[in-house]
Amino acid sequence: MLKYFVKLLKSLNANSHPGEIAHACAFGLLLGFLPKTSALWYIFFIFALFLRINKGMYFLMIILGSLVAPVLDPTFDQIGYWFLTLPQLESIFRAWLDIPFVAFTRFNNTIVAGSLVFSIAGYIPFYILARLLVRLWRSTLQPLLARNPLVKAFQKLPLVKTIINAYQKVEL
């Protein structure tokens, strides 16, 4: 797991494509907002492992989204109730419940449905925001941080030097 976070930091500062990082942010938030008790979460989680996204950012955003989700649960509940009670979709939802194993996705739970609708609707804005933040990090914040005397002093600590050197040897 630590390997993914080290790669995340390197990708933020390297020439890796910002879209990979932005998609990881958006998809990680989608999973972070979804309740972990539905099969839908596990399906999306496994699907994302096959995508070409930054896995460190993906896992970080799942954790951050999971921390924020309980605060947003009342909103997810309202959105889910509105979505599940749409008269146009009622026959579709009834047909889905008759399909074996579809009920394990818990799509008929208002919080699951609401968080899914919210995440899908917010995917593109999350993506755009993440892409802008990566550009801001690379152009402004990272050079300022590299010149910071506290960061330079931290990097000179013996333990930190040892970790950096060990990682560079393993990477080669």
Side-chain angles (χ1 to χ4, degrees):
M1 186 72 112
L2 184 62
K3 176 176 78 170
Y4 290 123
F5 291 116
V6 171
K7 285 185 178 182
L8 164 67
L9 291 175
K10 289 181 80 173
S11 67
L12 281 174
N13 300 326
N15 288 331
S16 83
H17 195 271
E20 292 178 13
I21 299 169
H23 278 298
C25 286
F27 210 84
L29 279 177
L30 185 144
L31 277 177
F33 290 158
L34 273 175
K36 290 16 162 214
T37 56
S38 89
L40 201 55
W41 190 90
Y42 296 99
I43 292 167
F44 283 153
F45 180 80
I46 292 170
F47 173 73
L49 293 178
F50 292 103
L51 296 177
R52 186 176 180 155
I53 59 175
N54 185 291
K55 301 299 190 276
M57 183 61 78
Y58 172 65
F59 290 126
L60 181 66
M61 294 312 287
I62 289 174
I63 293 168
L64 291 177
S66 297
L67 293 174
V68 174
V71 175
L72 295 174
D73 275 351
T75 305
F76 295 155
D77 186 45
Q78 290 175 350
I79 293 170
Y81 182 78
W82 166 80
F83 184 70
L84 291 173
T85 56
L86 287 174
Q88 304 89 336
L89 300 176
E90 187 176 328
S91 61
I92 294 172
F93 294 146
R94 284 191 184 160
W96 283 356
L97 283 174
D98 292 336
I99 300 171
F101 301 109
V102 171
F104 292 127
T105 63
R106 296 185 60 200
F107 74 89
N108 57 340
N109 181 313
T110 56
I111 293 178
V112 172
S115 63
L116 184 63
V117 169
F118 178 84
S119 298
I120 290 172
Y123 190 91
I124 292 175
F126 294 148
Y127 173 84
I128 293 169
L129 180 64
R131 195 143 179 171
L132 290 173
L133 289 175
V134 168
R135 183 180 299 158
L136 175 70
W137 171 263
R138 287 182 178 175
S139 65
T140 309
L141 298 176
Q142 194 272 334
L144 286 174
L145 198 58
R147 287 182 269 142
N148 189 324
L150 290 174
V151 172
K152 288 181 179 180
F154 179 74
Q155 289 175 341
K156 290 181 181 178
L157 291 173
L159 178 63
V160 175
K161 270 186 176 179
T162 306
I163 292 171
I164 291 171
N165 291 336
Y167 179 74
Q168 289 173 346
K169 287 179 184 177
V170 169
E171 190 176 90
L172 296 175

